[in-house]
């Protein structure tokens, strides 16, 4: 079906070691889904494979973006089709300011069909939403940025690029409570019928601010349970043991 990001029976290995073992997961456009699960379950691997990281070997399965299998496409081609992956960007780019980077990234994403006026209006709106001073865009990309600033910069990119689908991996982001709220504000500002997101997170707290339409739980390379936002609360209370038992039974 079109208008969704669909992962179908995805098996992935690295150096002969299986990591993803038949992932099924669909994010319809217009929805925000959360992906949770214990350390080492394969959440970040899934994100990287969607991005097209060549380190991983796809053994089986499909990744369909609006009905088109993107597995054979290079990472930049996937981006041009409207896929945004926060962690795909280089950590530091010496000599490239945020403003320059955003303009480059935008033309890479949409084939340069966004006008200068439109670019600045998106940038202005994003800076206001993220409560960020305009002067930040003349800083070099991520150079000397704190963890929270890097994360804010990712959301700035998200808001300027306006992709169809975004995968946001919040692991290790070490956000303080204010930064968490600001990230949530940015993601919520993106919400709408033309945007779908998969938010990978350990923080139930984040999901108080970005209220997900669906929560998926991954254990040992598979999505073993999906539910509404209450599933995240249940995990918070009960931990993962009961889910692991569920996974072992199936
Ligand atoms: N490049 C790699 N080389 C070797 N093993 C890898 C590689 N990438 C992932 N793995 C292994 O695959 C498994 C899944 O890792 P992944 O990072 O996807 O888990 P995760 O669910 O994101 O965990 P966390 O919650 O800790 O972020 C782990 O056992 C990890 O060691
Ligand atoms: Mg991870």
């Amino acid at each position: 079906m079109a208008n969704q990001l669909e992962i179908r029976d995805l098996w992935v290995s690295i150096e002969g070691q299986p990591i993803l073992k038949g992932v099924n997961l669909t994010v319809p456009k217009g929805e925000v889904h959360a992906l949770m699960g214990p350390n080492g379950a394969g959440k970040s691997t899934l994100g990287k494979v969607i991005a097209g990281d060549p380190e991983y070997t796809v053994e089986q399965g499909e990744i369909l973006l609006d009905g088109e299998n993107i597995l054979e496409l290079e990472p930049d081609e996937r981006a041009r089709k409207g896929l945004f992956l926060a962690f795909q960007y280089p950590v530091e780019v010496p000599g490239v300011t945020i403003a320059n980077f955003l303009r480059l990234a935008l033309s890479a994403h949409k084939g340069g069909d966004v006008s200068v006026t439109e670019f600045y209006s998106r940038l202005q709106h994003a800076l206001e939403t993220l409560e960020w001073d305009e002067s930040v865009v003349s800083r070099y990309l991520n150079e000397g940025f704190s963890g929270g600033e890097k994360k804010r910069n990712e959301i700035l990119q998200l808001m300027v690029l306006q992709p169809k689908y975004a995968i946001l991996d919040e692991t290790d982001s070490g956000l303080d409570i204010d930064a968490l709220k600001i990230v949530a504000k940015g993601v919520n500002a993106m919400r709408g019928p033309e945007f779908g997101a998969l938010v990978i997170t350990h923080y139930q707290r984040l999901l108080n601010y970005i209220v997900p339409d669906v929560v998926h739980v991954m254990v040992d390379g598979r999505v073993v349970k999906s539910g509404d936002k209450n599933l995240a609360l249940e995990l918070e209370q009960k931990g993962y043991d009961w889910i692991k038992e569920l996974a072992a039974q199936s």
Side-chain angles (χ1 to χ4, degrees):
M1 219 190 92
N3 286 325
Q4 59 188 25
L5 177 63
E6 183 182 359
I7 291 100
R8 229 188 248 175
D9 193 31
L10 188 68
W11 293 71
V12 169
S13 66
I14 190 152
E15 288 156 13
Q17 192 70 14
I19 298 175
L20 300 185
K21 303 166 186 171
V23 174
N24 288 295
L25 198 164
T26 299
V27 181
K29 206 176 278 174
E31 295 187 8
V32 173
H33 290 200
L35 179 61
M36 306 185 83
N39 292 131
K43 305 178 298 296
S44 296
T45 299
L46 177 64
K48 287 187 219 168
V49 171
I50 297 172
D53 189 328
E55 224 188 326
Y56 299 90
T57 309
V58 175
E59 309 282 359
Q60 192 180 313
E62 288 177 315
I63 301 177
L64 301 164
L65 194 154
D66 292 344
E68 181 190 358
N69 192 354
I70 58 166
L71 272 180
E72 299 302 320
L73 301 182
E74 295 297 321
D76 62 316
E77 293 172 307
R78 298 182 193 202
R80 240 175 285 133
K81 298 221 176 263
L83 198 56
F84 175 88
L85 297 122
F87 39 67
Q88 133 186 26
Y89 296 99
V91 178
E92 273 185 29
V93 186
V96 175
T97 64
I98 290 190
N100 283 336
F101 175 79
L102 286 173
R103 252 184 312 228
L104 284 171
L106 190 58
S107 47
H109 263 243
K110 295 274 171 78
D113 60 356
V114 174
S115 72
V116 176
T117 323
E118 172 67 14
F119 170 75
Y120 280 104
S121 114
R122 286 184 190 183
L123 184 58
Q124 205 60 45
H125 172 60
L127 287 168
E128 271 163 33
T129 306
L130 300 174
E131 299 167 34
W132 229 5
D133 191 82
E134 219 172 306
S135 63
V136 75
V137 302
S138 55
R139 276 183 70 176
Y140 295 122
L141 188 67
N142 287 345
E143 220 178 271
F145 275 33
S146 75
E149 285 169 339
K150 279 184 187 163
K151 184 50 72 179
R152 215 183 277 213
N153 184 42
E154 274 175 20
I155 306 298
L156 184 74
Q157 288 168 28
L158 177 72
M159 293 185 74
V160 171
L161 297 179
Q162 298 190 3
K164 286 193 224 167
Y165 299 99
I167 318 285
L168 304 169
D169 193 341
E170 300 298 323
T171 317
D172 304 322
S173 52
L175 296 179
D176 68 34
I177 192 73
D178 292 335
L180 209 63
K181 283 183 191 165
I182 286 169
V183 164
K185 238 173 113 184
V187 174
N188 287 332
M190 288 292 299
R191 285 182 109 136
E194 296 306 316
F195 176 69
L198 183 65
V199 180
I200 303 171
T201 187
H202 285 293
Y203 301 104
Q204 141 58 29
R205 212 169 48 175
L206 179 66
L207 303 181
N208 289 333
Y209 303 112
I210 304 174
V211 179
D213 296 292
V214 178
V215 174
H216 305 278
V217 189
M218 184 182 273
V219 176
D220 193 21
R222 284 186 309 136
V223 174
V224 297
K225 195 169 174 59
S226 302
D228 64 13
K229 62 179 167 41
N230 293 315
L231 179 54
L233 290 168
E234 201 177 350
L235 292 171
E236 177 89 348
Q237 280 163 9
K238 303 206 278 189
Y240 283 117
D241 281 351
W242 65 287
I243 292 271
K244 286 179 185 164
E245 272 164 39
L246 246 173
Q249 283 159 17
S250 63

